[in-house]
Amino acid sequence: EILRQSLTDYGDVFPLWNPYTMGGQPYLAMPDNPQMTSLVGLLIPFLAKPNQIFLVAVLIDMLLAGIFMYILVMYLVKNRKAAFISALVYTFNPWIVTNIAGGGMTTLNVYILIPLTMMFVVKAFRKERWVFYSVITGILFSLQIRLSTGLKVFLFVALLFGIYIIIYIVGPNFKKRIVKAFFVSLIVASITFGLSAQFVLPEKEFLDMTSRGNLAWEQSGGGTIPIKDWFNNFIEPFYEGWPKIQGHGGGNIGLIPFILAFLAVYAYWKDKKVLAFALGAMLAVLIVSGSFVYYLLWKYVPPFHSFRHIHRAAVLFIFAMSVLVGYGFMALSSILKKKFEKVDVKGNVAFIAVVLLVIVNIILLGVSPYALQIGDISH
């Protein structure tokens, strides 16, 4: 509404003051507010009411999330059916539905960029045109900062980037790999910082003047999920009266997608990309659990000093598992091909069966945005 008023009533693309938060605060240099450079801002000239803008923005985000995940998995496995299943999971999983219900546009606007970012990360470590792909990766990382509030998605994708670097340098020509990883990281970091410094530096100055600049461990690491609740929170929530059509849920990936992801790791654990995504998913679980891993991040990695609500690391879990689902379908197809060599329709039958199972699992038995109570949105 602030953006709409500034543009339509005053003809100013960049409002300088937010009168609605904390009795008024500067607007332009505050990453904690959506900007005209976001998808929301771009829709304002075409739609008059904030609720219309929100609805269209959500639909665009979901559409692009599916398309970009499809593009990523197609690039990785060269299989349309596997890419479609990954896109289906990435677009309609219970976690993303919960964010939609909670009005989480600042997450959704960046959620769509994760697949593209990681595709160019993979490209940046190939032999051809690695400098160009490193620059594109830096641009996409900077957009993750500019299109969101804070670093609630960027930080976890950056951790996955770090995991990929570590896995990449292990192998033959170790020295050459380290040199290339150094220059790729330098280019990505320089582009990312250069294109987002307008937001990052004022926000850092603001945080340093407040209690948010260095949160106590009890504040930053609160709201953890104990090991005994991992299955219900990350895979499939079993509750009294289960199964119920569009009932409980929120942060889980779904039992069928989890089985496919597990099959992917079992079949392709020697593939460095599969290993990177699997480690990324495990890291997310350890962070959300408030384990020693997150304590080390909070203690020694500056951005995490100011981080709250560690359940947001689930975005990394959902993304990594969605990619692994595509690999899992490839493994399943390979198993069926060996078992039923003479059946010509085995590929289509398996594809249709898996798609139907995924739809039943994550959509029919998943969470409904209309069934959520206000207290559920935090999950």
Side-chain angles (χ1 to χ4, degrees), residues 72-79 81-83 85-86 122 164 259-269 271-275 277-278 320-334:
L72 168 64
V73 179
M74 255 313 273
Y75 171 74
L76 294 174
V77 304
K78 308 296 189 295
N79 185 292
K81 293 171 184 175
I85 294 171
S86 285
V122 174
Y164 194 87
I259 292 173
L260 288 171
F262 181 83
L263 185 59
V265 177
Y266 175 79
Y268 302 118
W269 64 272
D271 186 310
K272 287 191 173 185
K273 292 184 283 294
V274 171
L275 185 58
F277 292 122
M321 294 293 282
S322 297
V323 176
L324 291 174
V325 163
Y327 280 97
F329 178 77
M330 293 287 291
L332 178 63
S333 299
S334 179

Side-chain angles (χ1 to χ4, degrees), residues 56-298:
V56 173
V58 165
L59 294 175
I60 291 174
D61 281 342
M62 293 184 70
L63 176 64
L64 292 180
I67 290 174
F68 292 156
M69 176 57 77
Y70 180 89
I71 292 172
L72 168 64
V73 179
M74 255 313 273
Y75 171 74
L76 294 174
V77 304
K78 308 296 189 295
N79 185 292
R80 290 189 179 90
K81 293 171 184 175
F84 178 84
I85 294 171
S86 285
L88 186 66
V89 173
Y90 193 62
T91 307
F92 296 106
N93 64 80
W95 184 83
I96 203 63
V97 172
T98 305
N99 271 272
I100 292 170
M105 290 303 302
T106 55
T107 297
L108 294 173
N109 288 343
V110 184
Y111 185 75
I112 64 177
L113 294 175
I114 304 176
L116 278 186
T117 305
M118 287 310 300
M119 184 178 75
F120 282 101
V121 166
V122 174
K123 284 177 174 284
F125 287 95
R126 295 175 66 89
K127 292 181 181 179
E128 305 85 9
R129 306 179 68 191
W130 62 271
V131 174
F132 172 76
Y133 292 131
S134 298
V135 171
I136 299 299
T137 302
I139 292 172
L140 289 169
F141 268 125
S142 70
L143 287 174
Q144 289 184 24
I145 297 174
R146 296 184 72 93
L147 301 185
S148 182
T149 59
L151 306 172
K152 63 179 71 172
V153 174
F154 167 81
L155 283 180
F156 303 111
V157 183
L159 290 177
L160 183 57
F161 177 55
I163 290 173
Y164 194 87
I165 291 174
I166 294 171
I167 292 176
Y168 167 79
I169 63 177
V170 177
N173 300 317
F174 182 71
K175 291 182 179 179
K176 289 184 178 180
R177 287 173 179 268
I178 287 184
V179 171
K180 185 171 184 178
F182 171 77
F183 283 108
V184 169
S185 303
L186 181 63
I187 293 171
V188 171
S190 299
I191 297 295
T192 301
F193 178 75
L195 294 179
S196 57
Q198 173 198 7
F199 293 147
V200 172
L201 295 179
E203 178 69 358
K204 183 181 184 302
E205 182 182 5
F206 174 75
L207 286 175
D208 288 343
M209 293 187 294
T210 69
S211 59
R212 283 290 306 277
N214 195 358
L215 292 178
W217 166 247
E218 291 75 14
Q219 289 177 286
S220 184
T224 60
I225 297 175
I227 295 177
K228 65 182 180 65
D229 295 329
W230 279 8
F231 190 91
N232 275 11
N233 282 273
F234 294 110
I235 303 172
E236 192 69 47
F238 289 106
Y239 47 86
E240 186 178 350
W242 186 93
K244 182 180 178 183
I245 303 301
Q246 291 203 318
H248 298 262
N252 61 296
I253 189 69
L255 183 59
I256 301 302
F258 176 80
I259 292 173
L260 288 171
F262 181 83
L263 185 59
V265 177
Y266 175 79
Y268 302 118
W269 64 272
K270 292 183 180 180
D271 186 310
K272 287 191 173 185
K273 292 184 283 294
V274 171
L275 185 58
F277 292 122
L279 290 176
M282 290 176 59
L283 177 64
V285 172
L286 291 173
I287 290 175
V288 176
S289 303
S291 67
F292 73 96
V293 174
Y294 183 68
Y295 178 81
L296 293 176
L297 291 173
W298 170 81

